Amino acid sequence: MRRFELIAPCHFGLEAVLKREIADLGYEVTGVEDGRVTFAGDEEAVCRANLFLRTAERVLIKVGSFHAETFEELFQGTKALPWEDYIPADGRFWVTKAASVKSRLFSPSDIQSIMKKAMVERLKGIYHVNWFAEDGESFPIRVFLMKDEVTVGLDTTGESLHKRGYRKLTAKAPIAENLAAALIMLTPWRADRTLVDPFCGSGTFPIEAAMMAARMAPGMNREFTAESWGHLVDRKCWYRGVDEAQDLIDTSVTTDIQGYDIDDNMVVIARENARLAGVDHLIHFQRRPVSELSHPKKYGFIITNPPYGERLEEKKDLPALYRTLGERFGQLDCWSLYMITSYENAERDIGRKADKNRKIYNGMMKTYFYQFQGPKPPKSERNRQERNGQGK
């Protein structure tokens, strides 16, 4: 089976979470850089990474890398890569995205244009043609330039992996599914513990948690660009990957996952998204303001993405909102609070300093993941849960 060097981009600040995911899938991590993790794998790995990785943005096959400080060096370096090993004579190919950091070449459109010309020149000589119809399968290419080092990858995914296929309707400022999953994975939450999102919006945190609890692969209900690349990835690998994912699902798991929102429409949207994800029976959604946040159980988790105040008219409401969240959290017995926000006075208004915080880029916005950690359940309680089959 053919071997590849694979690249999985992710949100800046979450590389360690993705690295752990890749290792848990059984693949050797060969490099970790800002915003991406590189690992070794075969054709099966291409399929399984796309199906199972919760925190990656996509999976790229590394075509090659080289140094380039001028457009001529970019052209020659691109032309020297073995494109014929990946792209057939009728393939439709283009550089879909170019990103440049601390490099002399920084214009994305120029980088894309020159690389396309270089690829055409290479393949014209290989296939002995002067013109490409490009009426076959799609082969999108992505390129990263970091300190003049060019890394070129073939995109096996297509639409970003955060698009699971269940979120047909969204809130005003939804959190990406892969970011929500990564933040949950940064907490000690497990399926046997209570989870509440008091600002659930379109339901992303509760749905991602429920999918984890049910061991449901995030990529099961979508398609991938590389599914049509039979010359690179045997179609049977995709079938085996889907079969593996289906065999793992356990929708009979018992959960206590709740999502609240002050907007009735958001609650309707969240319920519909959960239904499309196949986990609506594992989540309780209801209209409830944060001022009414309460729960009788101990050792639960609040994991949430509260308003940041992106619009000026909303900023004035933030101090009271965060104070209320802090007050309600303080009334919960032995709970933990995990919160992503760009609001600079979050700790002051919550009323206590976070035990930890982590800088994470949500798109281009710098945010912090504040972690207010409660006590662990006593060992006797954990043992009871494991005996009942609820532990992970």
Side-chain angles (χ1 to χ4, degrees), residues 84-104:
E84 64 278 6
D85 291 351
Y86 305 96
I87 302 173
D90 65 346
R92 186 169 77 90
F93 57 95
W94 73 103
V95 180
T96 183
K97 185 171 182 181
S100 178
V101 179
K102 298 178 181 176
S103 298
R104 288 172 175 80

Side-chain angles (χ1 to χ4, degrees), residues 276-349:
L276 292 170
V279 293
D280 49 318
H281 64 295
L282 299 177
I283 309 169
H284 172 68
F285 289 109
Q286 73 175 92
R287 183 193 175 281
R288 185 190 288 195
V290 69
S291 59
E292 295 177 13
L293 173 60
S294 63
H295 199 287
K297 289 185 183 176
K298 299 176 70 170
Y299 307 110
F301 288 75
I302 298 170
I303 306 179
T304 192
N305 175 38
Y308 303 172
E310 294 91 342
R311 292 190 297 195
L312 200 59
E313 63 268 25
E314 296 172 340
K315 277 193 179 294
K316 67 181 189 318
D317 300 326
L318 292 185
L321 184 74
Y322 281 75
R323 276 198 300 273
T324 302
L325 174 60
E327 289 164 3
R328 299 314 305 161
F329 168 53
Q331 295 300 308
L332 295 166
D333 194 355
C334 299
W335 277 50
S336 301
L337 166 62
Y338 293 83
M339 170 183 70
I340 183 171
T341 182
S342 66
Y343 177 48
E344 61 275 10
N345 294 324
E347 289 174 298
R348 183 198 70 187
D349 293 335

Side-chain angles (χ1 to χ4, degrees), residues 127-182:
Y127 293 126
H128 307 292
V129 296
N130 289 318
W131 181 78
F132 290 94
E134 297 196 50
D135 54 3
E137 301 300 338
S138 296
F139 294 86
I141 291 104
R142 291 183 170 244
V143 58
F144 313 95
L145 282 78
M146 169 62 80
K147 295 181 180 177
D148 302 319
E149 290 298 317
V150 183
T151 302
V152 185
L154 193 61
D155 182 7
T156 72
T157 302
E159 277 200 308
S160 171
L161 287 176
H162 82 266
K163 296 192 175 180
R164 319 293 205 208
Y166 66 75
R167 200 163 73 177
K168 304 300 183 186
L169 302 164
T170 64
K172 188 166 52 184
I175 190 167
E177 294 91 321
N178 58 343
L179 176 54

Side-chain angles (χ1 to χ4, degrees), residues 7-10 15 18 31-38 144 146 151:
I7 303 168
C10 65
E15 298 84 1
L18 176 55
V32 179
E33 301 171 75
D34 285 348
R36 64 184 191 266
V37 179
T38 304
F144 313 95
M146 169 62 80
T151 302

